[in-house]
Amino acid sequence: EDQVTQSPEALRLQEGESSSLNCSYTVSGLRGLFWYRQDPGKGPEFLFTLYSAGEEKEKERLKATLTKKESFLHITAPKPEDSATYLCAVRSYNNNDMRFGAGTRLTVKP
Amino acid sequence: DSGVTQTPKHLITATGQRVTLRCSPRSGDLSVYWYQQSLDQGLQFLIQYYNGEERAKGNILERFSAQQFPDLHSELNLSSLELGDSALYFCASSDAGEQYFGPGTRLTVT
């Protein structure tokens, strides 16, 4: 069964303090790994899709990387507006649905 | 704005009642997905429709049902509501890859 584990559950950073969020996955035939950002009470907002090990994608202060077992979301010099829950999800060739992790709740203090 | 719309935004109802949540996908997307998100659980996949046909089923209760109409909008029907059904319900749509989420319907069962 596909599984996604995100760590840490919560992360508090000072503004400008770079860090990484981890997403470990177990899937039979990765079709895609997805990162989303979710603000409280809102729908998840799509950030990145990664398809194969070694792939990297960047957007502003965020950079996502992928290996055969995990993905990292690196946040460089974060700002308070980056505070949100970051969700990781995987899709396999065996299933049509996406399996989501529980998320990492990021708080960036000014 | 993801282009996915959901109505209503909020719904308050009593136990035992039945409600219908509505979703309009992004223009051109044939797939619609329904998710439930409660405080103690992450995003739980309920069901997927593709061009009017059920494509995948997740942890959807027998009291819940969905359909997708010829104009591609979808409805999620929740019946015999229980207190534990209180949650955020999200609809997402996709063409082939990443899913784009709507703003959600917050259901409160009293």
Side-chain angles (χ1 to χ4, degrees), chain B residues 4-71:
Chain B
V4 178
T5 60
Q6 289 186 248
T7 56
K9 197 165 178 144
H10 301 279
L11 203 48
I12 302 174
T13 189
T15 54
Q17 295 298 304
R18 172 190 169 96
V19 297
T20 297
L21 313 185
R22 183 190 166 105
C23 167
S24 292
R26 290 188 320 159
S27 176
D29 285 354
L30 299 180
S31 279
V32 169
Y33 304 77
W34 286 97
Y35 291 86
Q36 180 192 57
Q37 187 176 45
S38 49
L39 279 176
D40 58 346
Q41 296 205 0
L43 268 170
Q44 299 292 316
F45 168 70
L46 296 177
I47 197 164
Q48 179 206 358
Y49 277 81
Y50 177 83
N51 203 20
E53 293 194 5
E54 183 184 304
R55 178 64 70 91
K57 234 174 181 175
N59 300 322
I60 188 166
L61 300 171
E62 284 192 16
R63 300 184 285 110
F64 296 1
S65 65
Q67 52 185 327
Q68 186 179 27
F69 295 87
D71 67 352

Side-chain angles (χ1 to χ4, degrees), chain A residues 47-48 50 56-64 76:
Chain A
L47 294 174
F48 304 109
L50 301 166
E56 299 182 354
K57 294 249 175 102
E58 273 187 80
K59 180 180 177 180
E60 295 179 2
R61 295 177 293 282
L62 300 176
K63 178 177 166 181
T76 303

Side-chain angles (χ1 to χ4, degrees), chain A residues 1 5 11 18 21 30 45 54 85:
Chain A
E1 184 179 305
T5 304
L11 182 62
S18 301
L21 282 53
L30 181 69
E45 175 191 342
T85 294

Side-chain angles (χ1 to χ4, degrees), chain A residues 61-102:
Chain A
R61 295 177 293 282
L62 300 176
K63 178 177 166 181
T65 62
L66 181 66
T67 72
K68 287 188 178 178
K69 292 184 180 179
E70 57 191 352
S71 176
F72 291 93
L73 185 66
H74 307 278
I75 302 179
T76 303
K79 298 183 177 182
E81 53 262 41
D82 294 322
S83 297
T85 294
Y86 290 85
L87 299 168
C88 169
V90 296
R91 201 169 185 186
S92 74
Y93 283 101
N94 292 337
N95 297 306
N96 277 318
D97 63 314
M98 278 207 302
R99 187 64 53 90
F100 278 84

Side-chain angles (χ1 to χ4, degrees), chain B residues 39-110:
Chain B
L39 279 176
D40 58 346
Q41 296 205 0
L43 268 170
Q44 299 292 316
F45 168 70
L46 296 177
I47 197 164
Q48 179 206 358
Y49 277 81
Y50 177 83
N51 203 20
E53 293 194 5
E54 183 184 304
R55 178 64 70 91
K57 234 174 181 175
N59 300 322
I60 188 166
L61 300 171
E62 284 192 16
R63 300 184 285 110
F64 296 1
S65 65
Q67 52 185 327
Q68 186 179 27
F69 295 87
D71 67 352
L72 299 177
H73 91 270
S74 178
E75 292 181 357
L76 179 67
N77 300 296
L78 314 175
S79 61
S80 303
L81 285 167
E82 301 175 359
L83 294 177
D85 297 327
S86 295
L88 269 167
Y89 290 85
F90 290 106
C91 160
S93 76
S94 75
D95 50 9
E98 58 270 8
Q99 295 178 16
Y100 291 86
F101 283 77
T105 293
R106 181 175 293 280
L107 174 66
T108 303
V109 183
T110 62

